[in-house]
Amino acid sequence: MKFFVDTADVDEIKGLLDTGLLDGVTTNPSLIAKSGRNILQVLEEICVLVPGPVSGEVTATNAADMIREGEKLASIADNITVKLPLTFDGIKACYALSQKDIKTNVTLCFSANQALLAAKAGATFISPFVGRLDDIGSNGMDLIADICQIYSMYPTIETEVLVASIRNPIHLLEAAKMGADVATIPAKVIHQLFNHPLTDKGLEAFMKDWESTGQSIL
Ligand code: E4P
């Protein structure tokens, strides 16, 4: 399973680089706004830091302008993935950009039928939002199960399931059990994945016993 970090904060990305965990990055207009940076500059910087796919989202709402924005974003670096909303125009833009071999990530997906549309339009990734479905009383993980099941029944579909709007480690665990291709995870949740009270307790006991030996490995 690939791990992307869901952030436009370069320091957060740098803090995770040496773990070897990062396979890519996703951003969206809200994350760019939160970073306070220029979208083109920050995406360029992220693309140098992380060689995997880096999603930059268009902000136009009509297909023609989405395509123009997508082409401009794609010119930043070879590893840019153009993120497009799952609207009629977004799907048209996805199809057009896919025909030009530009990688696409169709975002704001909330139904399995929408995921089918993205796959048929040649999307590289589909981003179903689990947390936002949970927020309105639906079960976000049910959507992931449906999309994984449907995509697996059609071997010609190459679109990867990128689980988005992850809010906690349980979302990630369930997505991994379903065989989702990618999870985009906030840095805070990536750090939570390391934690277990028995690890802390066990390490504390080992360190105490080791100290009593008076030895040193180095
Ligand atoms: C995905 O690409 C989105 O940027 C993101 O996962 C949205 O998450 P949120 O619902 O927590 O804002």
Side-chain angles (χ1 to χ4, degrees), residues 69 73 203:
E69 286 186 358
L73 292 173
L203 185 61

Side-chain angles (χ1 to χ4, degrees), residues 6 26-28 30-31 55 57 83 105 107 127 129 131-132 135 162-167 184-186:
D6 197 28
T26 52
T27 69
N28 63 37
S30 303
L31 293 171
S55 289
E57 188 160 343
K83 211 168 172 193
N105 174 359
T107 188
S127 288
F129 278 36
R132 293 193 194 187
D135 288 345
L162 193 171
V163 182
S165 189
I166 284 182
R167 302 275 171 76
T184 188
I185 318 167

Side-chain angles (χ1 to χ4, degrees), residues 93-171:
C94 174
Y95 177 64
L97 292 169
S98 304
Q99 293 293 107
K100 295 175 191 225
D101 281 334
I102 291 175
K103 290 192 176 59
T104 53
N105 174 359
V106 177
T107 188
L108 292 169
C109 170
F110 294 97
S111 79
N113 279 340
Q114 288 181 318
L116 263 181
L117 299 178
K120 288 187 70 68
T124 314
F125 301 103
I126 180 69
S127 288
F129 278 36
V130 294
R132 293 193 194 187
L133 278 170
D134 290 355
D135 288 345
I136 60 159
S138 294
N139 185 338
M141 295 316 301
D142 284 351
L143 174 60
I144 305 303
D146 283 350
I147 297 172
C148 287
Q149 185 195 353
I150 292 167
Y151 278 14
S152 71
M153 290 165 72
Y154 297 94
T156 52
I157 293 181
E158 291 178 0
T159 305
E160 294 188 39
V161 180
L162 193 171
V163 182
S165 189
I166 284 182
R167 302 275 171 76
N168 56 59
I170 303 295
H171 278 149

Side-chain angles (χ1 to χ4, degrees), residues 38-41 43-44 56-58 64-78 80 82 97 100 102:
N38 170 277
I39 182 169
L40 303 177
Q41 287 172 1
L43 285 174
E44 188 175 2
E57 188 160 343
V58 301
D65 288 338
M66 285 178 181
I67 294 166
R68 286 176 54 229
E69 286 186 358
E71 286 172 341
K72 182 159 181 184
L73 292 173
S75 73
I76 294 174
D78 287 345
I80 280 282
V82 177
L97 292 169
K100 295 175 191 225
I102 291 175

